[in-house]
Amino acid sequence: MRLRRALPILAVLPALLAATACSNESKESPAEKPKAQTKATQSADEKEAAEAKRLGAFDGKALEKIAITGKTAGFDAKKIAKAEVEAGRGMQADQKACQPLASLIGGFTHLPAVSTAHRSLQPGEATNATVGSMWLSSHSEDAATRVMKELRTAVTECPKGFKTLGLTYGKVESLPAPKLGDEAVGYRITGDIGKQKVPMTYTVVRSGGVVAAFYGVNMLDPKQAAIPEAVVKAQLERIADATG
C-alpha cells in the first residue's frame, strides 16, 4: 500500500519536512579527526552524567536502556539516527506562547533536557494505518513538571495554531488525556503540508522527571491517530522499573 510507505517520512519527525541538515567540514586531518571526536564525545558524556546525577535525572545511556525497543504492544520501536533527531532541534514558533508545541513537533521539550532518547513507531499489522514516533526527555522533576504546565497552557492559548520554519500549523485542539503517569496532556495539531491538511495527535505523559511524548498520524482516519495506550503503558512501566 503506497500510503503506508509514505507515512513514516511524515511520522518520524515532522520538522524534517522543512529542516535541512547542515554541517561544517572539519579542517582536521583524517587521522586526527576520529581521535578528536572520541575525546569530545567522552567529555560530553561525562558532563551529561554529572549533570544527571546532580539533578536526579537519567543520562543518555540510562535513558536509551529504558526506551522501548523492538516489538511492543503491536508496534515496532526503532532507534532514530542522530542526524534525523538533531534536524528537529531549535524549532521556533512565531508566537512565544506556542513554543512548547513547536518544540515537541521537532522532537524536543521547550526546556532543555539533560538527555533524550527517540524511537520511530511502526504498526505490526498491515491493516493499521497509524504510524508515529516517541521520545523520552529526562529533566529534574521540577523542570519536568514545568514542561507539562507550560505545554498545557500552550494548548489552551494557541487554538488557531502558529508557524515555525515556514510551515503553518493552523489548528490546535485539546484531547482527553490518558490517566497515566503523574500527569498527562493530549492534543491534536493540524499541519498544512502543501495543499494537504495533516492532523497530528500527541500524547505527552510525565513520570517523575521523565517526559514521554508520543506522536501519531493516520491519514485514513485521524480519530485513530493516537498511539495506543498499551504502548504508552509499556514505556511507563520501563521508567517505573528503572526508578523504583
Side-chain angles (χ1 to χ4, degrees):
M1 185 175 177
R2 292 182 64 186
L3 176 63
R4 282 284 299 278
R5 294 195 192 101
L7 279 175
I9 299 173
L10 195 65
V12 174
L13 285 178
L16 297 181
L17 296 172
T20 55
C22 298
S23 60
N24 294 320
E25 292 296 327
S26 172
K27 294 182 180 180
E28 298 171 2
S29 69
E32 294 172 337
K33 192 171 181 180
K35 293 181 181 178
Q37 287 178 334
T38 300
K39 186 175 181 180
T41 299
Q42 288 176 338
S43 177
D45 287 347
E46 290 170 358
K47 183 177 179 180
E48 181 182 272
E51 179 69 357
K53 184 176 181 180
R54 183 180 74 83
L55 296 174
F58 290 98
D59 62 23
K61 291 181 179 179
L63 204 62
E64 283 291 340
K65 287 182 179 179
I66 64 173
I68 57 174
T69 305
K71 299 186 185 309
T72 303
F75 279 75
D76 191 12
K78 295 182 179 179
K79 188 173 180 178
I80 302 173
K82 185 176 180 180
E84 294 183 8
V85 169
E86 290 300 319
R89 191 187 290 275
M91 299 264 293
Q92 294 294 315
D94 64 344
Q95 302 174 54
K96 185 177 180 180
C98 306
Q99 187 57 49
L101 301 170
S103 294
L104 282 178
I105 286 175
F108 294 89
T109 50
H110 65 289
L111 298 183
V114 175
S115 60
T116 59
H118 293 75
R119 298 288 186 270
S120 65
L121 295 173
Q122 300 296 322
E125 297 181 3
T127 54
N128 186 352
T130 298
V131 293
S133 59
M134 61 140 285
W135 53 97
L136 306 179
S137 299
S138 181
H139 302 260
S140 68
E141 188 161 352
D142 285 347
T145 300
R146 182 182 161 193
V147 166
M148 298 297 288
K149 179 181 178 181
E150 294 178 2
L151 174 62
R152 194 174 286 109
T153 298
V155 172
T156 300
E157 294 188 358
C158 301
K160 295 183 179 180
F162 54 93
K163 293 182 180 180
T164 180
L165 292 181
L167 291 179
T168 297
Y169 297 90
K171 187 177 182 181
V172 179
E173 308 166 77
S174 178
L175 297 176
K179 295 180 180 180
L180 298 172
D182 294 311
E183 56 180 318
V185 178
Y187 61 95
R188 179 182 297 123
I189 295 180
T190 300
D192 299 326
I193 311 300
K195 296 182 180 181
Q196 193 169 22
K197 301 286 186 183
V198 181
M200 305 177 295
T201 300
Y202 289 82
T203 301
V204 185
V205 184
R206 180 180 69 82
S207 178
V210 178
V211 176
F214 300 81
Y215 159 79
V217 62
N218 186 317
M219 298 298 287
L220 299 180
D221 186 356
K223 292 182 179 180
Q224 300 298 320
I227 299 302
E229 281 194 22
V231 177
V232 181
K233 287 180 180 178
Q235 179 58 77
L236 292 177
E237 286 174 0
R238 291 180 64 87
I239 296 172
D241 288 344
T243 55

